């Protein structure tokens, strides 16, 4: 049932191109310069978005914040659900609360959503599990269609959430008139290419396994990324710590010099997301800062980039895409890095200690 793979997690990592096709399938309509999401909510009605989620789903929501703010110019606040509930958030009828959850059963997310609803928000679930608790309480559900996810560490559901958030951004942007027709068409074209690009990203497995081998004895790992790749850094660190039990921390790249730079020495592997973007040069200078202090740099860069190689000990190349979609291809090598490291350390990859697939206690 693992399709010839030794673990569900690896099977699910390899399913990602097909999963993404399912998420996007039939919903991208370049001819109308829009997506068809079959939602009853009125996308023109909302002037702010509150994203509520936990763990990996929270990082998908954080990517979604950049997508929505860029394409739809609506302010997006994002909270981990357990914080949202208790901060007395400012909500009105023009607030769209978006709850993101693979299981649809996470109690913190459900309770936070109820709080937003009580205060008058429109509610949307971005959910994998059909008919789950959250889907029964929201005004509308955008199913991500990742199929059942067995591995406790979420991989393919994250990928599908990213696809769903990108479509949501287009939907809001078109309704509000902030996303021009030509730009929408171009962006939809880029979305359509993603499954194929994720397949290409998977081809880096042997190279990533080699890097994992080099560093699997490390006591700590640092992950850095800027702008829409900051959440990718956090997701990479989360994957690594939850299945390998290596301590891993993530920071927005520019924040490094405000403290964490003190950690850097020749024993610390630092994964830096430095894919093509308007902020590329800035992140490259962060790599130089790490190198100058003896740190070991593993760069995740766009294919064809020759600069990163000059400053990083190891470079993992990912296919070129729209810079707002770079998280989709970049998370793949980070999932593989976590997986290969955990296997080398003899960890129980599919059932990491102390974790449950669905967290229904507060
Ligand atoms: C990490 C992981 C958890 C979940 C979190 C939310 O790999 O699986 O962090 O993402 O518990 O779960 P859902 O999406 O079911 O609400």
């Amino acid at each position: 049932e693992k399709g010839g793979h030794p673990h569900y997690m690896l099977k699910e990592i390899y399913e990602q191109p097909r999963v993404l096709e399912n998420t996007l399938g039939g919903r991208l309509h370049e001819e109308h310069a829009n997506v068809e999401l079959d939602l009853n909510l009125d996308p023109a009605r909302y002037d702010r978005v509150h994203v509520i989620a936990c763990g990996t789903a929270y990082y998908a929501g954080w990517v979604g914040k950049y997508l929505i703010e860029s394409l739809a110019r609506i302010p997006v606040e994002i909270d981990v659900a357990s914080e949202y509930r208790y901060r007395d958030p400012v909500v009105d009828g023009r607030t769209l609360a978006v709850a993101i959850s693979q299981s649809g059963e996470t109690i913190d997310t459900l309770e936070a959503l109820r709080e937003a609803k009580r205060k008058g928000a429109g509610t949307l679930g971005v959910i994998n599990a059909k008919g789950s608790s959250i889907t029964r309480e929201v005004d509308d559900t955008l199913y991500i269609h990742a199929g059942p996810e067995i591995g406790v560490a979420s991989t393919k559901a994250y990928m599908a959430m990213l696809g769903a958030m990108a479509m949501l951004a287009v939907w809001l942007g078109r309704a509000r008139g902030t996303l021009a027709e030509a730009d929408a068409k171009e962006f939809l074209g880029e979305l359509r290419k993603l499954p194929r690009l994720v397949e290409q990203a998977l081809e880096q497995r042997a190279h990533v396994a080699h890097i994992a081998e080099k560093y699997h004895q490390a006591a700590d790992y640092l992950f850095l990324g800027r702008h829409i790749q900051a959440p990718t850094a956090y997701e990479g660190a989360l994957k690594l710590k939850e299945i390998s039990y290596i301590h891993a921390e993530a920071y927005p790249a520019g924040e490094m010099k405000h403290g964490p730079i003190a950690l850097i020495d020749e024993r610390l592997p630092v994964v830096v997301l430095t894919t093509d973007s308007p902020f590329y040069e800035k992140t490259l200078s962060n790599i130089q800062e790490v190198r100058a202090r003896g740190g070991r740099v593993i760069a995740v860069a766009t294919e064809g980039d020759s600069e990163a190689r000059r400053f990083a000990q190891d470079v993992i190349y990912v296919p070129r895409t729209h810079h707002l979609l770079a998280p989709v291809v970049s998370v793949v090598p980070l999932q593989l890095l976590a997986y290969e490291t955990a296997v080398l350390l003899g960890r129980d990859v599919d059932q990491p200690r102390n974790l449950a697939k669905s967290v229904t206690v507060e």
Side-chain angles (χ1 to χ4, degrees):
E1 74 279 24
K2 294 174 197 160
H5 294 290
H7 300 97
Y8 282 110
M9 183 182 177
L10 192 63
K11 169 178 180 259
E12 289 164 358
I13 288 173
Y14 273 97
E15 275 171 12
Q16 292 181 117
R18 212 157 22 88
V19 162
L20 201 51
E21 237 159 55
N22 283 342
T23 309
L24 305 173
R27 287 164 160 173
L28 308 179
H29 292 267
E30 286 93 332
E31 71 284 10
H32 305 136
N34 211 336
V35 289
E36 268 176 34
L37 301 181
D38 254 332
L39 300 174
N40 301 311
L41 289 162
D42 172 7
R45 168 167 171 188
Y46 301 101
D47 56 21
R48 63 177 143 193
V49 172
H50 285 185
V51 177
I52 304 162
C54 304
T56 286
Y58 172 80
Y59 298 135
W62 189 3
V63 171
K65 172 186 164 77
Y66 291 103
L67 284 162
I68 293 170
E69 289 188 341
S70 296
L71 303 186
R73 308 303 298 156
I74 306 176
V76 180
E77 285 177 51
I78 166 150
D79 284 89
V80 288
S82 53
E83 289 295 319
Y84 187 86
R85 287 176 64 181
Y86 301 114
R87 75 168 167 94
D88 195 12
V90 180
V91 173
D92 62 23
R94 299 183 64 82
T95 306
L96 178 64
V98 180
I100 309 177
S101 176
Q102 188 287 126
S103 63
E105 302 295 343
T106 303
I107 193 73
D108 286 319
T109 307
L110 181 57
E111 288 293 345
L113 177 87
R114 285 177 175 152
E115 173 69 12
K117 202 169 159 178
R118 254 192 310 274
K119 292 183 154 178
T123 54
L124 173 68
V126 176
I127 308 289
N128 194 34
K130 303 272 149 63
S132 52
S133 302
I134 294 177
T135 67
R136 294 196 298 271
E137 299 199 22
V138 283
D139 296 322
D140 240 335
T141 299
L142 176 58
Y143 279 113
I144 65 172
H145 298 309
E149 191 179 59
I150 312 286
V152 165
S154 182
T155 52
K156 64 175 183 170
Y158 181 70
M159 173 84 33
M161 285 166 184
L162 296 184
M165 294 310 284
M167 291 191 293
L168 198 59
V170 171
W171 184 70
L172 291 167
R174 290 300 285 151
R176 295 173 58 86
T178 52
L179 180 60
E181 187 174 332
D183 295 339
K185 283 186 176 164
E186 190 201 323
F187 191 74
L188 292 170
E190 294 293 324
L191 269 174
R192 194 176 285 285
K193 286 188 215 148
L194 280 178
R196 177 74 199 107
L197 301 185
V198 169
E199 211 165 284
Q200 283 172 28
L202 285 164
E203 289 166 11
Q204 294 295 313
R205 176 158 173 223
H207 179 52
V208 174
H210 172 73
I211 296 168
E213 171 80 45
K214 220 160 129 179
Y215 295 115
H216 72 283
Q217 303 289 1
D220 307 274
Y221 253 90
L222 185 61
F223 289 75
L224 302 173
R226 201 176 270 273
H227 191 253
I228 204 163
Q229 292 284 49
T232 312
Y234 281 73
E235 171 60 6
L238 178 62
K239 283 293 89 97
L240 186 69
K241 68 185 123 184
E242 69 182 332
I243 62 167
S244 77
Y245 317 146
I246 293 178
H247 170 249
E249 238 188 317
Y251 269 91
E255 189 63 9
M256 186 183 64
K257 57 185 163 300
H258 300 286
I261 197 163
L263 293 170
I264 289 170
D265 63 18
E266 61 294 338
R267 290 188 310 272
L268 183 72
V270 185
V271 177
V272 189
L273 293 140
T274 183
T275 46
D276 262 9
S277 79
F279 325 102
Y280 172 78
E281 296 293 335
K282 298 269 173 209
T283 312
L284 210 58
S285 78
N286 296 129
I287 294 186
Q288 286 166 267
E289 287 159 11
V290 173
R291 257 317 270 273
R293 287 155 187 86
R296 307 275 156 180
V297 178
I298 304 161
V300 176
T302 304
E303 245 162 35
D305 175 323
S306 54
E307 279 291 288
R309 169 144 284 152
R310 291 178 38 217
F311 306 111
Q313 279 90 347
D314 293 284
V315 182
I316 303 168
Y317 288 105
V318 291
R320 180 176 302 278
T321 178
H322 191 290
H323 82 96
L324 294 176
L325 298 174
V328 176
V329 290
S330 307
V331 76
V332 173
L334 305 191
Q335 296 167 339
L336 290 168
L337 180 66
Y339 174 79
E340 298 292 352
T341 304
V343 169
L344 282 164
L345 294 170
R347 310 298 191 210
D348 186 348
V349 173
D350 285 333
Q351 290 286 336
R353 67 188 183 200
N354 311 337
L355 290 173
K357 185 66 188 160
S358 153
V359 184
T360 51
V361 289
E362 294 179 35

